[in-house]
Amino acid sequence: MIVNRLDESRLRRSARELAVLLADTVNAGASVGFLAPLDRPEALAWWEERAADVAAGRLVVWAAYDGDRVLGTVSLAFPGKANSRHRAELVKLMVDPDARGRGLGRRLLATAEDAAAAAGVTLLHLDTETGSPAEQLYRSAGWTAIGAIPDYAASPDGVLRPTTIYYKHVPAGALTR
């Protein structure tokens, strides 16, 4: 398994595989901002729209490949305000439902954390559905929950669910592994 950072060109070339991953993840019940059933054309359009943010440096995307197949992804979103350049949001950590339980989520998380530290980012934050399996990953990787917001987002089946907000201090330049 290879994890690569995607520039704009590579994101565009990988968009179809990323769309398959996104649709399969949402349709398996993961709450990552979409309602099920999510079809592949909609997922493809979403990924293609991210290319401009990657080109502008507002978003960094990594994908985990097994051959040509994308089995996972994670991204860092950087705010555009001058007083926020020390932080980034961890977004869209996804692992193919058939590839879960093998440490890929942890590897993708560590990849994003290491890249953030190397870039001088000292604070990361994220939100995830309260009670989801992702919470155990974040807690075991040293992330701190600061609270839950009730009825924050609809799950893929359309039911409003609480979301827990997490943060993690990352020493600049330090590897998190």
Side-chain angles (χ1 to χ4, degrees):
M1 179 110 25
I2 297 170
V3 176
N4 287 324
R5 181 175 170 169
L6 307 182
D7 62 13
E8 178 189 11
S9 175
R10 182 92 189 250
L11 175 66
R12 290 185 187 283
R13 288 193 313 270
S14 297
R16 288 197 187 286
E17 282 296 318
L18 288 162
V20 169
L21 173 67
L22 176 57
D24 289 353
T25 301
V26 169
N27 294 334
S31 182
V32 291
F34 299 87
L35 297 175
L38 178 63
D39 64 32
R40 290 181 180 170
E42 182 181 352
L44 176 61
W46 186 85
W47 275 111
E48 288 173 339
E49 290 170 6
R50 308 284 76 76
D53 289 334
V54 169
R58 292 183 297 264
L59 183 70
V60 179
V61 178
W62 291 268
Y65 294 89
D66 183 12
D68 289 337
R69 185 171 176 218
V70 174
L71 293 182
T73 188
V74 67
S75 300
L76 288 176
F78 296 94
K81 297 176 240 161
N83 72 341
S84 306
R85 293 193 179 125
H86 67 289
R87 64 181 157 102
E89 181 178 9
L90 187 107
V91 294
K92 301 296 184 267
L93 174 59
M94 294 179 271
V95 174
D96 183 280
D98 295 332
R100 292 183 185 155
R102 296 186 235 159
L104 181 54
R106 183 167 305 285
R107 182 172 172 195
L108 288 164
L109 183 58
T111 296
E113 291 174 3
D114 290 347
V121 169
T122 58
L123 180 66
L124 293 172
H125 64 97
L126 63 85
D127 66 82
T128 192
E129 184 179 315
T130 304
S132 70
E135 282 199 290
Q136 181 168 343
L137 170 64
Y138 299 131
R139 289 178 194 268
S140 70
W143 288 71
T144 301
I146 60 170
I149 303 170
D151 297 338
Y152 184 78
S155 61
D157 61 2
V159 176
L160 291 178
R161 305 257 189 224
T163 293
T164 301
I165 310 298
Y166 285 85
Y167 75 91
K168 184 173 187 177
H169 285 284
V170 180
L175 292 179
T176 58
R177 293 180 220 192

